[in-house]
């Protein structure tokens, strides 16, 4: 079952970004993941804005693969740099429909 990792970032000090951006996608790919978007073009259409400056959306073949990425020792120094230079939140969702009314999604 596909798992999506949503990274919601608010920059405090962007000096970590160039090395992170140049390197982390290889670690994502190592675990079968791919970026669907990594954008700073964040627009709030409803509700109170969260002061987000970057959102990355990644797809992995499974929750286990997404967790393997986030727990990969090669990723650890990038995690520290990101956490030191931003307020960030990683959320994991699957590809199910909680209500079970969308025919092309598994009921969740």
């Amino acid at each position: 079952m596909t798992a999506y990792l949503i990274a919601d970032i608010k920059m405090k000090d962007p000096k970590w970004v160039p090395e992170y951006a140049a390197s982390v996608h290889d670690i994502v790919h190592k675990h079968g993941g791919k970026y669907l978007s990594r954008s700073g073009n964040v627009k709030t259409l409803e509700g109170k804005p969260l002061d987000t400056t970057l959102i990355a959306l990644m797809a992995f073949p499974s929750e286990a693969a997404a967790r393997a990425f986030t727990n990969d020792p090669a990723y650890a120094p990038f995690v520290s740099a990101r956490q030191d230079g931003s307020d960030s939140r990683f959320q994991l969702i699957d590809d199910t429909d909680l209500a079970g009314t969308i025919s092309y999604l598994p009921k969740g």
Side-chain angles (χ1 to χ4, degrees), residues 19-94:
E19 186 176 0
Y20 189 102
S23 304
V24 170
H25 66 277
D26 289 335
I27 303 169
V28 169
H29 292 167
K30 172 182 165 184
H31 295 284
K34 68 176 185 175
Y35 279 89
L36 302 178
S37 179
R38 183 169 66 184
S39 179
N41 296 318
V42 179
K43 297 169 181 70
T44 301
L45 299 180
E46 183 177 323
K48 181 180 177 185
L50 297 176
D51 294 330
T52 298
T53 52
L54 171 74
I55 293 178
L57 176 60
M58 294 159 267
F60 288 87
S62 65
E63 179 179 340
R67 290 183 183 275
F69 157 66
T70 60
N71 294 320
D72 189 317
Y75 183 48
F78 298 104
V79 172
S80 294
R82 176 180 43 78
Q83 289 175 342
D84 289 346
S86 72
D87 293 326
S88 54
R89 175 177 55 215
F90 275 33
Q91 298 183 84
L92 188 64
I93 61 171
D94 60 23

